[in-house]
Amino acid sequence: MACKLVTLFFFVNLLMQIPKVRATVPAIIVFGDSTVDPGNNNQVSTVLKSNFEPYGRDYYGGQPTGRFSNGRIATDFISEALRIKPAIPAYLDPKYDIEDFATGVSFASAGTGYDNATSDVLSVIPFWKELEYYKEYQNKLRKHLGKDEANQRFSESLHLISIGTNDFLENYYILPTRSSEYSVDEYQSFLIGIASNFIRELYKLGARKVVIGGLPPMGCLPLERTTNMFFGSDCINEYNDVAKDFNKKLQGAVTELKQELGGIHLVMSSPYDKLMEMIRNPSHFVQTLLTLRP
């Protein structure tokens, strides 16, 4: 639920920043990790799955779908807010085909990160492979709609990226390889470089509307607080500081890319401040929690 709320709030913030987006977005294309994975990991040989109860208990029919949530995830709500459809399907889900994907699809994989080494930890889909799936999808959509109509759809679609937490919490701070190769500052820059190149590749493929999410206060996520039991299960400030520093660098990269890539509408949306507000004043968000149901 925590991850669901994190992405929901920063994407809601995004919608507030893009005027007239409702009338100009024919599809939502999603890349990232568990925050936006609607079930791709169901089709991957990994232990990181959520296709069992109690996941999905508040989803349509009360069944688990592979979403790491009790119900829908942020991108589902955004799709509904844009009057496209109530849920974004997983690209690897055999129940769906190109007709379903024409108005929205997710290539996200729980447990992945910008860094290839992060996806190796739990054998999930690496970030670069998500881009390869997108290229495959583009070819399918051109056959389905025709080249001109499909290309127009790519340029008008909203491309959402939600990723990065796993690089630190499941990789850098857990395994010795990256932490022995890079300082935290250097590793942040390494990841920012991957993010920037990913956006450049999307641009080459015709994407013109792109949103990339920053990191939440990682040290306050439930797992981190639980494992911090010797310090009263408080937030881990070191992790939060890393998230804030990363977000500053990512915003700088976004500013540079907007100057470099002509015609791109690129927005960074950060969940950091909103989630901290939720943690400090949870009672203010009770009504929101009650309404996050299909």
Side-chain angles (χ1 to χ4, degrees):
M1 175 62 95
C3 287
K4 176 179 176 180
L5 285 169
V6 171
T7 49
L8 176 62
F9 276 111
F10 79 69
F11 283 136
V12 166
N13 179 54
L14 151 73
L15 294 180
M16 294 172 64
Q17 296 179 55
I18 302 180
K20 301 181 180 179
V21 71
R22 182 187 301 275
T24 59
V25 176
I28 296 177
I29 314 298
V30 186
F31 307 89
D33 56 23
S34 63
T35 55
V36 289
D37 180 0
N40 283 309
N41 274 19
N42 291 350
Q43 313 304 321
V44 177
S45 296
T46 177
V47 296
L48 192 57
K49 300 177 187 289
S50 57
N51 56 351
F52 54 88
E53 297 179 348
Y55 292 111
R57 65 186 181 188
D58 297 313
Y59 193 76
Y60 301 109
Q63 297 298 313
T65 62
R67 288 168 171 80
F68 283 75
S69 171
N70 58 296
R72 289 186 290 172
I73 53 180
T75 41
D76 298 326
F77 288 103
I78 294 162
S79 177
E80 183 177 59
L82 294 175
R83 299 181 182 177
I84 299 174
K85 55 187 177 184
I88 301 292
Y91 183 66
L92 298 183
D93 191 329
K95 296 195 302 291
Y96 301 101
D97 57 25
I98 192 61
E99 185 171 353
D100 301 300
F101 300 147
T103 52
V105 60
S106 176
F107 306 100
S109 176
T112 200
Y114 289 113
D115 187 353
N116 289 340
T118 302
S119 62
D120 291 342
V121 175
L122 290 168
S123 300
V124 297
I125 301 169
F127 197 36
W128 66 265
K129 184 64 175 179
E130 293 185 24
L131 189 65
E132 292 302 307
Y133 282 139
Y134 179 52
K135 294 176 183 177
E136 181 180 89
Y137 160 76
Q138 286 195 327
N139 290 332
K140 291 179 181 179
L141 195 65
R142 289 188 181 104
K143 291 179 182 178
H144 179 66
L145 296 178
K147 182 178 179 179
D148 292 341
E149 184 176 348
N151 288 343
Q152 172 110 15
R153 181 156 300 198
F154 301 143
S155 68
E156 294 180 348
S157 294
L158 194 58
H159 296 70
L160 305 180
I161 305 169
S162 176
I163 195 170
T165 304
N166 295 321
D167 290 303
F168 293 98
L169 301 186
E170 304 299 331
N171 183 358
Y172 189 86
Y173 284 112
I174 298 297
L175 303 176
T177 303
R178 290 309 194 200
S179 58
S180 64
E181 293 176 332
Y182 301 100
S183 67
V184 173
D185 183 71
E186 290 170 341
Y187 191 60
Q188 289 174 339
S189 298
F190 171 68
L191 299 180
I192 295 295
I194 295 172
S196 296
N197 287 333
F198 191 91
I199 292 171
R200 290 187 182 98
E201 289 300 314
L202 286 180
Y203 182 84
K204 290 177 184 177
L205 293 170
R208 292 298 181 269
K209 298 177 181 179
V210 182
V211 176
I212 185 165
L215 297 182
M218 303 183 296
C220 294
L221 295 179
L223 178 60
E224 306 315 312
R225 295 184 68 171
T226 299
T227 55
N228 196 32
M229 63 183 71
F230 293 111
F231 297 92
S233 296
D234 289 336
C235 296
I236 302 175
N237 291 329
E238 178 187 354
Y239 293 177
N240 287 348
D241 290 341
V242 168
K244 287 188 288 187
D245 290 343
F246 180 89
N247 289 345
K248 290 177 183 177
K249 290 184 178 181
L250 184 59
Q251 183 60 68
V254 165
T255 299
E256 291 178 3
L257 286 167
K258 289 167 69 174
Q259 296 174 346
E260 174 187 334
L261 306 175
I264 194 170
H265 298 281
L266 176 61
V267 175
M268 176 195 162
S269 190
S270 174
Y272 190 97
D273 291 337
K274 184 58 67 174
L275 184 55
M276 284 303 297
E277 183 182 347
M278 291 172 59
I279 293 167
R280 291 166 179 159
N281 302 291
S283 61
H284 294 179
F285 296 86
V286 171
Q287 189 58 44
T288 300
L289 286 167
L290 294 175
T291 59
L292 289 181
R293 292 175 180 265

